[in-house]
Each structure stands twice: as C-alpha cells, then as structure tokens.
Amino acid sequence: MTETRMISLPAGTFRILEAGRAGDPLVILLHGFPETADAWGGLMPGLAGTGRHVVALDQRGYNLGPKPRGAAVYRLDELAGDVLDLADHLGAERFALVGHDWGASVTWWTATRH
C-alpha cells in the first residue's frame, strides 16, 4: 500500500509517496520530466515487499512541491540537496537512489558528488 504525505524540508514542503516500513533500508525514487512521484506508484508496493522503505519524491518545481523562481535554484547541486535533506528527514545515513529521465540526472549527480 502506498501512502501520500507532505514533508517539510529546508527548500519547502514536498509531497512524497511512501511504501514499506520506516527503519527498513531506504530507496528514494526520482521521476522524470514532466512526471511526478506518481510515475513510480506501480513499482513501489513490490519494492516495499522486499523489505525496503520506498519513497518517491515530487521534485522541486513539480506538482504540489515548492516552485521557487529563477534558474539558479534548479541547479543539480540544489536538487541533490533536496534528496539529501529527504534522507536526513527520514533518518537514513545510507540509501539507494533510483531515477528516470531528469530524475536519473539528479541521481547520477547526487551519487557522484555525495
């Protein structure tokens, strides 16, 4: 079962979809353009069924999340910061990160820089 909730991070309030139990190994899913976290909805229960805490984030600028003005706030460092802030919010020092399309760019950037 997938649940939707809003969480507060330093960049603003973000919408997430969540499946599995908090405390299990975390998997963060990042959608592509012009999708939302809902793009992962069909895969989340299966991943959670393998003993993972699965969270899909509506990235900055999409859906109900923050939509700051100016190109500088959409740089990869800023978007990676949102991912790291999410992991911190969820209490995870380590996590798996999966991205599709634009989310894959953020995934690669986050993985190579952090």
Side-chain angles (χ1 to χ4, degrees):
M1 181 169 146
T2 302
E3 296 182 15
T4 302
R5 68 181 173 118
M6 302 298 287
I7 60 167
S8 293
L9 301 177
T13 301
F14 289 79
R15 176 180 166 263
I16 62 170
L17 300 182
E18 195 168 24
R21 292 186 322 217
D24 285 346
L26 179 63
V27 178
I28 298 174
L29 306 173
L30 300 178
H31 61 81
F33 175 83
E35 300 165 324
T36 67
D38 297 299
W40 297 104
L43 296 173
M44 293 178 69
L47 284 171
T50 66
R52 288 168 175 78
H53 181 202
V54 184
V55 176
L57 172 71
D58 276 344
Q59 294 189 75
R60 183 185 295 218
Y62 294 84
N63 203 11
L64 303 176
K67 296 176 184 69
R69 294 182 184 261
V73 296
Y74 293 94
R75 291 185 180 142
L76 286 168
D77 282 331
E78 301 295 325
L79 301 174
D82 294 340
V83 172
L84 298 173
D85 289 340
L86 172 61
D88 285 345
H89 178 86
L90 297 170
E93 289 184 26
R94 297 176 57 98
F95 56 93
L97 188 56
V98 179
H100 165 71
D101 188 58
W102 176 243
S105 297
V106 178
T107 296
W108 276 102
W109 189 263
T110 304
T112 59
R113 304 289 256 184
H114 302 281

